[in-house]
Amino acid sequence: MVGPLMENIEKVLISEQEIQQRVAELGRQISADYEGLNPLLVCVLKGGYVFLADLTRALTICHSVDFMAVSSYGNATESSGVVRILKDLDTDISGKHVLLVEDIIDTGHTLAYLLENLRVRQPASLRVCTLLNKPSRREVDIPIDYVGFDIPNEFVIGYGLDYAENYRNLRFVGVLKPGAYRASK
Ligand code: IMP
Ligand code: MG
């Protein structure tokens, strides 16, 4: 993809200000819920990195962070449900209070796999925080403890989310022009 970033944006779905306000609220809620527990925030790369960076700085309690990278097999806009671990955690999570930080829950396949994978390592607790949730797309029933925004069934980019590895740096969550998909192939 070449050219100015904004050229391919159809519309802003969630503004920078709305995101910052909601992240601050989530930070307050998580700080209250995990007081004294020194949780481990596990960021799912790559999409979760922008959200994690803001969320962790909105917390007022001691906590640590670790990273996992996964890739779902499938094309650029459809998850296949088959997940591969590209990078595992550096730390042993047994006995720890783990909060999984995700960019978006779509079909739920990625999260279902991750939860199963982490649960066998016997954390003291395991919860999920996602910036975005697409309830209408859900194929697997999974509990989500903290949700930034429920969004309609549209492919979104920005604030960590990519299309073909582009647009992660946008400060808002937006939708691409239909032509942008074709242009990048
Ligand atoms: P799921 O397994 O269908 O829940 O898909 C989860 C992953 O697919 C996310 O972590 C994203 O990487 C990607 N994904 C799903 N929907 C979108 C979207 O609207 N924009 C960008 N990436 C998405
Ligand atoms: Mg992606």
Side-chain angles (χ1 to χ4, degrees):
M1 236 170 279
V2 289
L5 268 180
M6 293 302 290
E7 199 172 77
N8 293 322
I9 307 298
E10 170 95 15
K11 64 175 179 198
V12 174
L13 197 65
I14 310 169
S15 71
E16 176 180 3
Q17 197 194 0
E18 287 172 302
I19 294 173
Q20 290 308 322
Q21 197 180 326
R22 186 71 187 114
V23 171
E25 282 170 11
L26 287 170
R28 280 192 290 274
Q29 198 184 339
I30 292 166
S31 296
D33 293 352
Y34 283 89
E35 195 174 357
L37 297 179
N38 203 335
L40 174 70
L41 272 63
V42 170
C43 173
V44 184
L45 296 171
K46 298 173 191 171
Y49 82 100
V50 179
F51 180 38
L52 180 89
D54 283 345
L55 184 65
T56 189
R57 288 175 295 172
L59 296 184
T60 53
I61 52 164
C62 286
H63 65 280
S64 46
V65 299
D66 203 346
F67 299 86
M68 263 180 110
V70 298
S71 100
S72 318
Y73 289 106
N75 63 32
T77 58
E78 290 287 333
S79 171
S80 67
V82 183
V83 179
R84 191 162 50 114
I85 293 187
L86 304 176
K87 184 219 170 290
D88 208 339
L89 297 173
D90 294 338
T91 40
D92 177 6
I93 61 166
S94 71
K96 289 191 182 161
H97 293 278
V98 174
L99 181 61
L100 200 60
V101 178
E102 268 275 21
D103 53 353
I104 187 165
I105 317 288
D106 188 32
T107 63
H109 287 298
T110 308
L111 183 62
Y113 174 86
L114 277 173
L115 286 176
E116 189 51 40
N117 186 285
L118 295 178
R119 205 166 273 133
V120 298
R121 308 182 197 192
Q122 298 186 308
S125 68
L126 182 58
R127 286 187 182 172
V128 177
C129 176
T130 186
L131 177 75
L132 305 174
N133 181 36
K134 282 188 200 169
S136 64
R137 292 262 304 165
R138 197 61 36 81
E139 290 173 13
V140 200
D141 190 26
I142 21 150
I144 310 175
D145 304 279
Y146 305 95
V147 176
F149 302 91
D150 282 334
I151 61 166
N153 181 17
E154 279 188 281
F155 190 81
V156 293
I157 41 86
Y159 202 73
L161 291 120
D162 74 303
Y163 174 68
E165 297 298 331
N166 283 235
Y167 306 106
R168 296 189 195 275
N169 60 315
L170 296 176
R171 291 172 183 270
F172 57 86
V173 170
V175 178
L176 289 177
K177 288 177 186 163
Y181 296 103
R182 247 179 301 115
S184 70
K185 289 200 176 125

